[in-house]
Amino acid sequence: MEDKIKLHDKVFKPYIRHDRIIAAIDDVADKLNRDFYNCPDVPVILCVLNGSIPFTGELLQRITFPCQVISIKMSSYQGTQSTGTVLNVMGLTSSVKGRRVIICEDIVDTGNTIVALKEMLLDKEGAADVRICTLLVKPDVYDKPDKLDYVGMEIPNAFIVGFGLDYDELGRNNKDIYVIDDNPMKKYYILFGPPGAGKGTHAGAIAQKYNLKHISTGELLRAEIAAGTELGKQAKSLIDAGMLVPDSVVEGMIETAFDTVKGVDGFLLDGFPRNLSQAADLDEILDKRGESVTAVVGLMIDDDMIFQRIRGRAIIEGRADDASDETIANRIKTYHTQTEPLIDYYKAAGKYWEVDVDGGTIEENRARVLAKMETIA
Ligand code: 5GP
């Protein structure tokens, strides 16, 4: 069975395998064959389009008594919700007057569709007898007194697709059945690059465009320092010296963010991971969640430009870690020795993309970064 699938804006996860569906259809066919094997007339198999096409098709291959096949199209669903109003979109393809009818439905949810159809066949179309045969039923939702004569499988109340069932007309052609995934996989992007490359400058635009939570470890730490927390005090002395704070501290802050931030499609990490050991830890953190790094976007500038940009930023923002040439040189050295090896690490995983932001205005570079994201997202 394949992995998760995306149809329009929603993600669906594997739910009922094809072989289980077929086993349920075998059972239904056995029961029908038993009930109709010496039927004095030819029953009508009524396929309710379009969802029941695969079910009816499989069922017909197993039915051993003579039967006529006709179809009708009804609709009560819009998107993932039943509207409560059943529409007869396309009439019966043949008269059922005086005939025994076996309705073949893909799924019975509230039962509005099937009961309206049954009544219409008996009262308006003059059918002699109507039986309901459905591949699936949601017993928690079905609230009608009418008996469901043949049922393949009972399922809980969740929106499913596949094997004929659609989400806004997509998904019918999947041979397995999928259920909507209320907690779809998140995206984990890493904005990478030397200090002063513009990670903080462009992160907001990327995060907004792709509905990501921007996590700047530097900013999280600076917030702790400003609040004067114990963690902040420890971090301050290290940051002032251009050194990295312990991995466990940074990773704890990041995991907390992954756990607590809701309503986003993913995260944009900025300033983490900064070394190979952090990258391995991040892989482990995501692996535990059944997820992985989506892509790494490297913003590239050369060392002269790093100096130029950081000196400029120091004047505007007054950041302690930008204060002196010595600190800047230290940070550049730390970047080359500890952080730069991550490029090969993520290249080897096929997850590294690079944008040249050495020249150009902020707007030009932002456009380049967003254009690169478009090729990845
Ligand atoms: P009811 O009238 O019983 O509430 O709904 C019956 C119809 O709604 C089905 O024939 C099917 O078209 C649609 N439906 C009900 N539940 C689901 C579901 O979980 N997934 C999909 N794709 N369609 C459903």
Side-chain angles (χ1 to χ4, degrees):
M1 198 162 176
E2 291 166 41
D3 288 339
K4 295 184 181 186
I5 54 169
K6 185 159 190 217
L7 303 173
H8 299 295
D9 57 331
K10 301 210 184 308
V11 175
F12 296 83
K13 57 186 176 190
Y15 191 48
I16 308 173
R17 289 179 62 100
H18 186 75
D19 51 3
R20 270 190 62 210
I21 301 171
I22 294 298
I25 298 175
D26 283 341
D27 286 348
V28 169
D30 284 350
K31 286 188 193 109
L32 281 167
N33 286 332
R34 269 201 305 275
D35 289 357
F36 287 88
Y37 85 101
N38 61 357
C39 183
D41 45 67
V42 175
V44 173
I45 305 278
L46 174 56
C47 173
V48 185
L49 300 174
N50 289 319
S52 308
I53 293 174
F55 173 46
T56 311
E58 291 290 343
L59 199 60
L60 284 174
Q61 294 172 50
R62 290 160 178 78
I63 283 178
T64 49
F65 54 88
C67 60
Q68 181 189 351
V69 182
I70 67 169
S71 47
I72 190 171
K73 188 161 181 183
M74 318 278 288
S75 178
S76 69
Y77 250 63
Q78 242 167 34
T80 62
Q81 294 298 316
S82 176
T83 60
T85 315
V86 181
L87 304 172
N88 185 349
V89 183
M90 183 192 92
L92 289 167
T93 53
S94 183
S95 165
V96 294
K97 200 166 172 42
R99 308 286 298 275
R100 275 173 226 271
V101 181
I102 303 164
I103 305 174
C104 279
E105 179 63 298
D106 49 1
I107 187 164
V108 173
D109 183 283
T110 60
N112 290 338
T113 309
I114 205 85
V115 168
L117 176 58
K118 184 176 173 180
E119 279 169 12
M120 185 192 93
L121 293 170
L122 288 169
D123 302 344
K124 216 172 121 223
E125 303 292 336
D129 179 60
V130 175
R131 305 249 180 124
I132 297 173
C133 172
T134 182
L135 175 61
L136 301 155
V137 63
K138 299 178 186 171
D140 297 343
V141 194
Y142 183 64
D143 58 1
K144 306 291 181 291
D146 302 64
K147 182 172 174 242
L148 302 177
D149 303 277
Y150 305 92
V151 173
M153 252 184 272
E154 295 189 345
I155 60 163
N157 182 20
F159 186 75
I160 58 169
V161 292
F163 202 77
L165 292 153
D166 72 309
Y167 169 47
D168 277 346
E169 294 307 328
L170 291 185
R172 295 194 197 276
N173 56 317
N174 286 283
K175 59 201 278 261
D176 302 304
I177 290 178
Y178 293 75
V179 67
I180 198 156
D181 188 357
D182 294 326
N183 190 15
M185 292 253 276
K186 298 260 187 289
K187 304 259 190 191
Y188 295 88
Y189 293 102
I190 296 168
L191 199 51
F192 177 85
K199 299 190 290 293
T201 308
H202 302 305
I206 302 172
Q208 195 188 15
K209 180 159 181 206
Y210 296 99
N211 188 29
L212 307 170
K213 169 71 183 169
H214 171 210
I215 301 181
S216 157
T217 44
E219 259 160 44
L220 289 179
L221 283 168
R222 281 192 286 279
E224 298 275 348
I225 294 170
T229 64
E230 201 44 50
L231 191 152
K233 281 181 204 151
Q234 281 171 23
K236 185 173 175 359
S237 53
L238 293 163
I239 291 176
D240 284 353
M243 289 164 72
L244 299 173
V245 297
D247 290 354
S248 57
V249 173
V250 177
E251 286 160 18
M253 291 191 315
I254 285 173
E255 267 198 278
T256 304
F258 288 168
D259 286 339
T260 52
V261 176
K262 304 282 178 228
V264 292
D265 292 335
F267 297 88
L268 181 63
L269 296 175
D270 152 12
F272 180 91
R274 287 194 187 221
N275 56 45
L276 286 169
S277 137
Q278 285 187 348
D281 290 349
L282 177 62
D283 284 348
E284 213 172 289
I285 289 169
L286 293 178
D287 198 48
K288 272 193 291 179
R289 311 167 74 86
E291 297 176 304
S292 63
V293 169
T294 309
V296 179
V297 182
L299 307 187
M300 284 304 123
I301 58 174
D302 64 28
D303 289 0
D304 289 347
M305 186 58 91
I306 299 178
F307 257 102
Q308 226 171 293
R309 292 220 186 133
I310 296 186
R311 279 204 198 104
R313 185 166 76 181
I315 296 164
I316 299 164
E317 295 180 16
R319 266 170 56 168
D321 56 345
D322 292 344
S324 69
D325 281 0
E326 198 193 332
T327 312
I328 299 171
N330 213 351
R331 290 176 65 201
I332 294 176
K333 199 166 138 232
T334 306
Y335 168 76
H336 285 306
T337 55
Q338 298 197 30
T339 313
E340 210 167 41
L342 290 177
I343 295 179
D344 284 340
Y345 181 82
Y346 287 114
K347 267 187 186 165
K351 295 185 172 177
Y352 185 76
W353 279 264
E354 201 162 279
V355 190
D356 180 357
V357 289
D358 199 57
T361 63
I362 290 181
E363 287 70 30
E364 283 163 355
N365 286 332
R366 180 161 302 146
R368 281 184 206 159
V369 175
L370 290 175
K372 182 61 75 180
M373 281 296 292
E374 222 23 54
T375 66
I376 307 167

